[in-house]
């Protein structure tokens, strides 16, 4: 798909109910045009992962997601051999009387016995969107390995040879900044810090994503979310939580936000007991 400008990308994202501001759209546009990974950093729930999903939808490309976590290693991200199927193949060959060791070895290390993990899938599948989610949760060693893969999108498999991407995937790397990601990886990417949306944009997001939401309810929820984000909470609500909160209120039939329903549904917006207690004890919902 030929996207000729950041403004056009804003329009296309809007068609998929993702309301991007100019800064984010420009960063994403440049990443697409320059063939560079896009590194998105920001608080949880501000729309980093959702951008990758929306890009996949508008590009009509599969989304391949690599969820990072402590202890993730190269094998879990690249490929693995299907040992169970290889063993069954050997047993079947033995039953058929095949004893040629060289032939058997060549057969069991055939591509059909290879289990492609996210990075290999992204290299083999064109076009595709690769989402490397929450890279800050992975170890330093994996971060260094990822940098190598992103440099040339080439993966070496000793038993099969080298597999290279004819067309590099669109890559979105996200971080919630639970730790600092090394500069080497960031330098390989185009960087954008994703803020919570401003008030008007958040109201627009609520109305767009939740068609049953009244403008009154959207305005009141956005105002309440803004107050919670200024309250010094352990985990202030992101856009994802604001949407969940509004949906919970709509499920209860609310047309506007009153203190009782706001308190009753607070678990949709806040995920820490300390935050809930802080909000209720300090009357932060009294003017909902």
């Amino acid at each position: 798909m030929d996207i000729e400008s950041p403004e056009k990308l804003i329009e296309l994202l809007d068609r998929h109910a993702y309301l991007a501001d100019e800064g984010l759209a420009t960063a994403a546009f440049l990443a697409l045009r320059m063939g560079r990974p896009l590194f998105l950093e920001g608080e949880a729930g501000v729309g980093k992962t959702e951008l990758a999903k929306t890009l996949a939808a508008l590009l009509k490309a599969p989304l391949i997601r690599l969820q990072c976590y402590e202890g993730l290693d190269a094998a879990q991200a690249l490929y693995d051999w299907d040992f169970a199927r290889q063993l069954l193949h050997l047993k079947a060959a033995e039953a058929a009387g095949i004893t040629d060791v060289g032939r058997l070895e060549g057969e069991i290390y055939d591509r059909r016995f290879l289990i492609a993990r996210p990075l290999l899938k992204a290299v083999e599948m064109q076009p595709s969107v690769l989402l490397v989610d929450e890279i800050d949760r992975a170890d330093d060693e994996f971060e260094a390995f990822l940098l190598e893969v992103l440099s040339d999108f080439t993966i070496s498999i000793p038993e099969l040879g080298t597999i290279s991407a004819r067309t590099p995937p669109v890559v979105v790397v996200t971080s919630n900044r639970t730790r600092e990601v090394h500069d080497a990886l960031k330098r390989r990417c185009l960087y954008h810090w994703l803020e919570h949306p401003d008030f008007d944009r958040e109201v627009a997001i609520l109305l767009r994503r939740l068609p049953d939401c009244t403008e009154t309810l959207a305005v009141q929820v956005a105002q309440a979310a803004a107050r919670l984000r200024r309250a010094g909470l352990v985990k202030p609500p992101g856009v994802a939580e604001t949407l969940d909160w509004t949906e919970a209120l709509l499920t209860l039939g609310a047309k506007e936000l009153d203190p009782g329903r706001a308190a009753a549904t607070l678990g949709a917006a806040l995920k820490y007991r300390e935050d809930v207690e802080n909000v209720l004890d300090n009357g932060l919902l009294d003017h909902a």
Side-chain angles (χ1 to χ4, degrees):
M1 177 181 291
D2 185 24
I3 302 172
E4 62 271 17
S5 67
E7 291 73 24
K8 180 62 175 178
L9 182 56
I10 288 176
E11 177 187 331
L12 292 171
L13 291 171
D14 180 77
R15 291 179 190 174
H16 289 81
Y18 189 98
L19 306 185
D21 61 22
E22 183 179 359
L24 177 59
T26 300
F29 169 77
L30 291 174
L32 292 172
R33 273 298 179 91
M34 297 168 65
R36 298 279 295 278
L38 176 61
F39 191 104
L40 295 177
E41 204 165 39
E43 300 288 342
V46 293
K48 303 184 296 295
T49 299
E50 194 63 28
L51 176 66
K53 294 179 180 179
T54 308
L55 285 174
L58 69 87
L59 294 172
K60 296 181 172 60
L63 176 72
I64 300 170
R65 182 172 183 169
L66 174 59
Q67 181 63 52
C68 297
Y69 53 87
E70 186 177 352
L72 177 66
D73 62 26
Q76 293 162 316
L78 277 176
Y79 67 87
D80 206 351
W81 289 104
D82 191 336
F83 297 117
R85 289 188 64 208
Q86 286 174 319
L87 183 59
L88 286 173
H89 181 76
L90 288 175
K91 288 183 176 180
E94 181 182 1
I98 300 174
T99 57
D100 185 336
V101 175
R103 173 185 169 182
L104 288 173
E105 184 174 342
E107 288 179 350
I108 64 171
Y109 287 110
D110 186 78
R111 177 64 183 84
R112 60 188 165 138
F113 295 119
L114 191 72
I115 302 172
R117 304 300 185 193
L119 292 181
L120 180 57
K121 284 182 182 178
V123 168
E124 289 188 314
M125 194 178 296
Q126 285 92 34
S128 64
V129 175
L130 172 63
L131 168 62
V132 182
D133 216 6
E134 299 184 327
I135 184 62
D136 51 319
R137 295 186 180 276
D139 301 324
D140 291 350
E141 292 80 6
F142 181 79
E143 193 179 313
F145 159 75
L146 180 64
L147 176 62
E148 181 181 347
V149 173
L150 294 183
S151 296
D152 54 12
F153 296 102
T154 296
I155 293 172
S156 178
I157 301 174
E159 299 86 355
L160 294 178
T162 299
I163 299 175
S164 299
R166 294 189 305 274
T167 302
V170 175
V171 181
V172 177
V173 183
T174 75
S175 168
N176 294 335
R177 209 173 188 179
T178 58
R179 69 168 177 87
E180 287 294 336
V181 175
H182 290 185
D183 288 343
L185 181 58
K186 285 186 175 181
R187 286 198 302 269
R188 180 67 187 82
C189 308
L190 296 179
Y191 177 86
H192 185 77
W193 174 268
L194 201 54
E195 297 277 4
H196 291 289
D198 61 30
F199 174 76
D200 290 337
R201 187 176 300 278
E202 187 151 30
V203 170
I205 290 170
L206 293 175
L207 293 174
R208 184 64 182 280
R209 298 296 290 269
L210 300 170
D212 294 334
C213 182
T214 64
E215 185 169 355
T216 297
L217 181 61
V219 167
Q220 292 174 336
V221 170
Q223 289 172 335
R227 287 199 300 273
L228 296 182
R229 289 170 191 150
R230 295 191 298 266
L233 303 178
V234 175
K235 171 59 178 71
V239 180
E241 287 75 29
T242 306
L243 284 164
D244 286 346
W245 196 12
T246 307
E247 187 174 2
L249 290 162
L250 289 172
T251 301
L252 295 177
K255 300 297 183 183
E256 58 183 28
L257 187 65
D258 61 80
R261 276 184 171 154
T265 55
L266 194 55
L270 302 180
K271 310 303 178 181
Y272 286 85
R273 185 190 68 181
E274 298 91 334
D275 287 345
V276 173
E277 291 176 350
N278 183 355
V279 168
L280 296 179
D281 291 347
N282 290 287
L284 296 177
L285 297 178
D286 289 351
H287 301 291

